[in-house]
Amino acid sequence: MALVIDNLSFSYDIEFELREIKIQVEKGGVVSLLGPNGSGKTTLLKCICTLLKPKKGCIFIDKKSIFEIGQRERAKIIGYVPQNHNPLFALSALDFVLLGRTPYTSMFSLPSEEDYSKAEEMLKLVNLYHMRDRSYTQISGGERQLLLIARALTQEPEVLILDEPTAHLDLKNQLKVMTIINKIVKERKICAIMSQHDPNLALRFSNFIVILAKGQIIGAGKPEVVINEANIAKAYGINARIINNNHCKIVYPISVYPVEVTD
Amino acid sequence: MKLSVPKKAILYFLYFSPLLIVFFSIFIGRLYIPAGTVLRIIISKIFSLTPEKSWPRAYEVIIFEIRLPRIIAAVLGGIALSVSGASLQAVFRNPLVDTYILGVSAGSAFGAALAISLLLLDSFLVQIFAFIFGIIAFGTTYLVAKTQGDVQVISLILAGIIVSSLFSACLSIIKFIVEPNHVADIVYWLLGRFSTISWKEVLQIFPPILIGSLILFGMRWRLNALSMKDEEAKTLGINVEKERLLVLGAATLVSASLISVCGIIGWIGLIIPHTIRMLFKTADNRKIIPLSAATGASILLLADNIARSLLPYEIPVGILTTLCGAPFFLYLLRKRSKGVWH
């Protein structure tokens, strides 16, 4: 197992944000976290990045606890893709991706030839090499997301963590980003775990789905199994229909339940 | 980054300009010394020649004891202000910050005023007070901003504003209670000028400005990563608090040293890095830091040349930089191309 989340609980104060989360991800695995706003998806991802410290439980990457290794070493095995953001200063696309080499350079050194070639390789991987001199603020949202992914990959991580990689993207860019993530994970034999709002994208582009609600896992497993009408109703409080279309499932939301469902 | 030919020419000119301006500055001064004589004095000094001297001894004193230390101080000052400004703008992710944001200027001003009001009129004591209070102000800002071991940019900015206004209030109290003739001393100190510089002051500020600037220059690529949000920088493997403290400390060291000998010189730290960013359309601190250092040195030296030779009496250079800096900044804001920062 590449990534093991073992009995993880997290709380800011008394109330638990996450309760006894258990997830295992293999090499080449793409995991989607589904769940309504405030269900703990981002909190869980931040725990994996060690930006938040869990109250109980542990996270292992290749059998090593990620809380027992230094920050710099950790950045070589975990690549984090934050939600699309707008930095104030506009680095060029290449300089931006080059930041992924930070864990490999010391405080007073400059990136080497090797660092440049790694960054260029990743730019080619996300098909943005032709934009390397373009300013970060002058490119589209989809391309920015790809640049953030390229930067994380330049860290040469074993685990890629993505916080809503398709948020604010149009249909074409959603497809593009998800296809590239899947391709890279398979090719580089790493694993990815991401939060996702669109169950249809999760169905199509992941091989494991975890549904969170109020900080607890209410369903986990193969996409075709986990995505069912009961689970969608339980997680989101909506009435949805699952349509089977040529061996491909589609989630079709119908209406909001008048009252919150409890079971 | 690929630059067009004219931009490249500007780049090389900027790197070369301090040498050029330093050279010409030796010829400029209150007392007119013929250019040929100046040249002959310099050449005979460099090669330790002892020809029959056709010039008064006073000329040598003016060139080597008055003009030269002043020129070097202005160069050091330009480097200190623009490099610290550029670095702070990167770590604060804000193109409008300067060392004043950390309370350094207000602290130093209070320190100097305190020394003057306590009748410690020896310039060295005034400088020491200014330096120490500059560092104290920064330390206070940092400690106030630190909550539960975490220092956030927004708390630093707020703490800086609070500490600055506290020290400004204390400065006002001093101005209010001291004898009127000392008020004039304080005001003159606050204005920012190089007229009191001798080799003693130059030697005093040279080590801290060199050390601080070298630290910031060494971290020029790191500053790119430090200009990302804290969480992002952490996931890139950076110990954000520690490295940011190093940047803030180095910036405080260079600016407090400079302020301690020549008062408060505004706008250079804001205008220079900003102009470089706009001119070369870059946010890469590997370019901004060295280019700002060279340009800052040239501009401050140029400003000081004007300050000491334009009118029959000397204008404090701090007034000049503010007088030119503020409208120029306004012009840049109106004209700024989209995307360099927003």
Side-chain angles (χ1 to χ4, degrees):
Chain A
M1 286 296 158
L3 170 70
V4 176
I5 300 169
D6 185 25
N7 234 343
L8 191 91
S9 296
F10 175 83
S11 67
Y12 284 106
D13 36 61
I14 310 146
E15 209 155 312
F16 274 100
E17 303 282 322
L18 290 174
R19 205 187 287 266
E20 290 162 10
I21 303 293
K22 284 180 208 162
I23 301 172
Q24 300 198 334
V25 192
E26 295 163 48
K27 279 202 164 68
V30 176
V31 176
S32 289
L33 302 175
L34 286 176
N37 294 331
S39 58
K41 301 189 297 289
T42 302
T43 311
L44 178 56
L45 294 182
K46 282 188 175 171
C47 282
I48 307 175
C49 296
T50 69
L51 291 171
L52 295 174
K53 202 171 170 5
K55 279 273 143 71
K56 268 185 275 172
C58 198
I59 297 166
F60 301 94
I61 292 177
D62 283 334
K63 294 178 187 136
K64 261 183 285 176
S65 162
I66 59 165
F67 299 102
E68 279 161 23
I69 45 180
Q71 196 159 25
R72 197 167 149 189
E73 292 308 306
R74 206 154 47 213
K76 294 178 187 172
I77 55 172
I78 304 173
Y80 174 61
V81 179
Q83 259 194 55
N84 212 343
H85 67 163
N86 298 302
L88 189 70
F89 295 113
L91 289 170
S92 73
L94 180 61
D95 285 336
F96 186 78
V97 173
L98 200 56
L99 292 180
R101 298 306 290 173
T102 306
Y104 297 90
T105 47
S106 68
M107 209 194 304
F108 292 109
S109 56
L110 296 178
S112 65
E113 287 291 315
E114 194 200 339
D115 293 326
Y116 266 99
S117 63
K118 288 257 160 66
E120 282 170 357
E121 183 195 334
M122 300 309 161
L123 265 178
K124 282 175 190 154
L125 207 63
V126 297
N127 303 323
L128 284 179
Y129 187 67
H130 59 287
M131 291 205 171
R132 62 192 178 281
D133 289 326
R134 200 77 83 74
S135 156
Y136 186 84
T137 46
Q138 287 172 329
I139 59 174
S140 74
E143 289 155 355
R144 262 184 216 184
Q145 195 62 46
L146 290 174
L147 272 190
L148 282 166
I149 292 171
R151 186 183 74 182
L153 287 172
T154 309
Q155 293 170 241
E156 303 188 308
E158 286 165 37
V159 178
L160 200 56
I161 293 163
L162 306 102
D163 196 0
E164 291 185 27
T166 52
H168 312 299
L169 297 187
D170 62 33
L171 279 177
K172 185 183 167 188
N173 278 312
Q174 287 181 6
L175 273 179
K176 212 162 138 186
V177 165
M178 293 306 290
T179 312
I180 283 179
I181 292 171
N182 269 264
K183 189 180 127 219
I184 288 164
V185 166
K186 302 260 141 50
E187 274 177 12
R188 306 188 73 88
K189 296 189 179 60
I190 59 175
C191 65
I193 178 163
M194 71 185 82
S195 55
Q196 181 63 268
H197 268 308
D198 185 343
N200 287 312
L201 280 177
L203 257 172
R204 235 183 109 178
F205 289 104
S206 43
N207 40 35
F208 198 86
I209 287 181
V210 175
I211 303 180
L212 284 170
K214 291 177 186 156
Q216 274 177 302
I217 295 180
I218 58 163
K222 292 244 170 278
E224 314 83 62
V225 184
V226 180
I227 299 292
N228 55 45
E229 285 165 11
N231 275 342
I232 296 286
K234 210 163 143 191
Y236 295 98
I238 61 165
N239 184 7
R241 193 145 304 155
I242 310 292
I243 302 165
N244 275 300
N245 178 26
N246 296 338
H247 316 291
C248 166
K249 281 183 162 184
I250 299 165
V251 178
Y252 183 70
I254 295 175
S255 64
V256 177
Y257 278 155
V259 286
E260 204 178 25
V261 260
T262 46
D263 57 344
Chain B
M1 184 175 65
K2 289 197 177 57
L3 291 172
S4 59
V5 175
K7 283 275 165 71
K8 234 175 202 153
I10 296 175
L11 185 110
Y12 289 121
F13 173 74
L14 288 178
Y15 277 131
F16 185 66
S17 62
L19 282 176
L20 202 70
I21 300 177
V22 163
F23 181 72
F24 283 113
S25 302
I26 301 175
F27 296 89
I28 299 168
R30 176 91 339 115
L31 184 83
Y32 172 74
I33 306 175
T37 315
V38 175
L39 267 181
R40 264 181 288 149
I41 294 173
I42 295 169
I43 289 166
S44 72
K45 183 87 174 182
I46 291 172
F47 299 103
S48 333
L49 302 174
T50 42
E52 79 278 26
K53 292 185 176 169
S54 54
W55 54 81
R57 163 114 179 83
Y59 281 13
E60 272 183 50
V61 174
I62 287 170
I63 289 172
F64 294 110
E65 302 298 323
I66 296 174
R67 289 187 189 171
L68 203 55
R70 185 169 180 164
I71 288 166
I72 293 173
V75 166
L76 285 174
I79 293 173
L81 290 171
S82 36
V83 168
S84 62
S87 313
L88 293 179
Q89 285 149 25
V91 297
F92 282 113
R93 300 186 278 281
N94 186 337
L96 297 175
V97 302
D98 200 345
T99 36
Y100 68 80
I101 206 88
L102 297 172
V104 180
S105 311
S108 296
F110 170 75
L114 186 66
I116 293 169
S117 69
L118 293 174
L119 304 178
L120 304 167
L121 293 173
D122 175 50
S123 75
F124 183 68
L125 279 172
V126 176
Q127 288 154 22
I128 293 292
F129 265 66
F131 182 76
I132 289 174
F133 276 92
I135 303 281
I136 288 176
F138 163 68
T140 317
T141 301
Y142 197 81
L143 288 177
V144 169
K146 190 166 181 159
T147 45
Q148 296 163 359
D150 196 30
V151 181
Q152 286 182 340
V153 168
I154 185 74
S155 348
L156 268 171
I157 292 177
L158 288 174
I161 292 169
I162 294 164
V163 169
S164 290
S165 57
L166 257 175
F167 276 110
S168 303
C170 295
L171 176 65
S172 302
I173 295 174
I174 291 181
K175 276 191 198 162
F176 188 69
I177 55 179
V178 295
E179 286 176 51
N181 56 333
H182 290 321
V183 175
D185 284 344
I186 293 171
V187 170
Y188 183 63
W189 191 92
L190 290 177
L191 287 175
R193 69 277 165 277
F194 286 105
S195 51
T196 53
I197 297 286
S198 67
W199 282 115
K200 196 187 95 189
E201 279 84 19
V202 171
L203 290 176
Q204 196 180 310
I205 63 170
F206 185 72
I209 289 184
L210 183 74
I211 292 167
S213 303
L214 279 179
I215 290 174
L216 297 173
F217 179 72
M219 291 182 79
R220 62 198 183 283
W221 188 57
R222 205 65 164 189
L223 284 169
N224 288 354
L226 284 167
S227 71
M228 297 290 127
K229 287 201 188 88
D230 286 13
E231 289 196 339
E232 248 180 293
K234 277 180 195 166
T235 60
L236 290 172
I238 292 183
N239 186 335
V240 179
E241 261 108 56
K242 193 183 98 193
E243 296 194 9
R244 193 168 50 202
L245 181 60
L246 184 62
V247 173
L248 301 185
T252 303
L253 184 69
V254 296
S255 44
S257 320
L258 179 74
I259 295 172
S260 73
V261 298
C262 57
I264 294 164
I265 298 170
W267 292 90
I268 296 285
L270 220 53
I271 295 277
I272 303 294
H274 200 75
T275 310
I276 299 295
R277 260 183 230 117
M278 290 189 64
L279 198 57
F280 296 99
K281 302 222 178 335
T282 184
D284 185 357
N285 288 292
R286 282 175 295 175
K287 287 224 161 52
I288 295 171
I289 297 284
L291 272 171
S292 295
T295 314
S298 299
I299 295 292
L300 190 54
L301 183 53
L302 209 59
D304 189 49
N305 286 340
I306 295 170
R308 68 192 166 110
S309 58
L310 184 68
L311 295 178
Y313 44 87
E314 176 153 347
I315 319 161
V317 71
I319 294 181
L320 207 65
T321 56
T322 307
L323 220 50
C324 302
F328 184 63
F329 199 68
L330 208 63
Y331 164 76
L332 285 180
L333 275 178
R334 301 289 301 178
K335 171 175 188 296
R336 84 189 160 95
S337 54
K338 256 179 108 182
V340 178
W341 55 265
H342 63 78

